[in-house]
Amino acid sequence: MIYICKGCGELCQLPCKACDACCKAISESCKCVGDLFRPICDGPLASYVLATWLCMIMVAAAGGYGIADSECDRAKQACIAFVALAVVHAVFAFYLQRQIMSGLVRKGAHPSSHEELAKEAVHILLYDVGVCFYTLIYFGSFGFACYSFVMLSCGAGAGWGAAVLLVLYGWLALTYLMAWYCCRCCAGKVLPKQVQRQLQQQPQQQQVMGVPMPSAPAQDV
């Protein structure tokens, strides 16, 4: 009888054990996802990169669906262009963050220094070849997105959503980058030097996108 009771007890515990295994698997999966995105989240312009990726995924999905749903060749061509532009915008967002971090490493600057971030962003904007090419693509993308409403007028289905998202992205991305730069400049001037020195004294040996970030020596006030 005791063995029958033990067997019933084990059977009753099976759902709990299965639930524990599922919870452990979900926890490990979330940890892997967190580790994957942590280098991006720890770098500058993290919100810009993640928001751009999310927006461009929606643009690519709407454009891809619009290719199959379009009723004329012009609308299909516009949807194909939407997908291509979504890929370019998503790649550049990561590229810009990578270039800023690499520039800080080369100069031995601390990633927590708002003033150094602003200076490096300006340097990349003026001298980086990739940024120069993307600037043309960016404004061209915005202009094409506005013109695409004419191309989609023959019937594009989900392509309309991609066009609207690209127009909104053209305004919001530029606004965000300008606001980010202004905030970095203001924070670099307003933030007390004692606080900046404390930030610089904190150990920063983590790697951001595979680039080791050295801790900068404290500067005398």
Side-chain angles (χ1 to χ4, degrees):
M1 188 68 181
I2 188 172
Y3 296 107
I4 296 176
C5 293
K6 286 183 177 181
C8 293
E10 291 294 331
L11 289 175
C12 293
Q13 291 179 0
L14 286 179
C16 297
K17 292 180 179 180
C19 183
D20 290 340
C22 292
C23 291
K24 183 178 180 181
I26 293 174
S27 177
E28 291 295 331
S29 300
C30 293
K31 184 178 182 299
C32 292
V33 173
D35 293 339
L36 177 65
F37 284 95
R38 183 173 293 111
I40 297 173
C41 296
D42 290 342
L45 294 174
S47 299
Y48 163 71
V49 176
L50 296 178
T52 296
W53 285 4
L54 177 61
C55 182
M56 292 306 122
I57 288 174
M58 292 188 291
V59 170
Y65 186 77
I67 294 174
D69 197 33
S70 298
E71 299 177 2
C72 63
D73 291 338
R74 295 186 66 191
K76 288 184 179 180
Q77 292 171 1
C79 291
I80 293 173
F82 293 154
V83 175
L85 290 172
V87 174
V88 172
H89 288 308
V91 170
F92 176 79
F94 178 77
Y95 172 82
L96 179 61
Q97 186 186 57
R98 175 78 179 187
Q99 289 299 97
I100 292 177
M101 297 305 299
S102 299
L104 292 174
V105 171
R106 287 194 300 268
K107 296 178 180 178
H110 196 273
S112 299
S113 174
H114 297 286
E115 187 175 0
E116 292 296 334
L117 280 172
K119 288 181 179 179
E120 186 60 29
V122 172
H123 177 79
I124 291 174
L125 179 64
L126 295 177
Y127 299 105
D128 189 86
V129 177
V131 174
C132 293
F133 280 113
Y134 177 76
T135 302
L136 300 176
I137 296 175
Y138 176 85
F139 288 105
S141 171
F142 179 75
F144 175 78
C146 295
Y147 174 74
S148 66
F149 290 101
V150 177
M151 301 177 66
L152 299 175
S153 59
C154 62
W160 289 102
V164 171
L165 286 173
L166 278 179
V167 171
L168 292 176
Y169 179 80
W171 283 105
L172 296 178
L174 182 61
T175 302
Y176 176 83
L177 290 175
M178 293 175 62
W180 178 86
Y181 174 74
C182 292
C183 289
R184 298 290 82 74
C185 291
C186 293
K189 300 296 182 182
V190 176
L191 193 66
K193 292 185 177 180
Q194 293 83 356
V195 177
Q196 292 190 25
R197 184 171 62 182
Q198 291 176 4
L199 290 174
Q200 293 175 348
Q201 288 175 344
Q202 294 177 358
Q204 296 286 340
Q205 294 299 327
Q206 60 181 352
Q207 290 190 354
V208 178
M209 293 174 289
V211 179
M213 301 303 302
S215 55
Q219 299 178 356
D220 295 333
V221 178

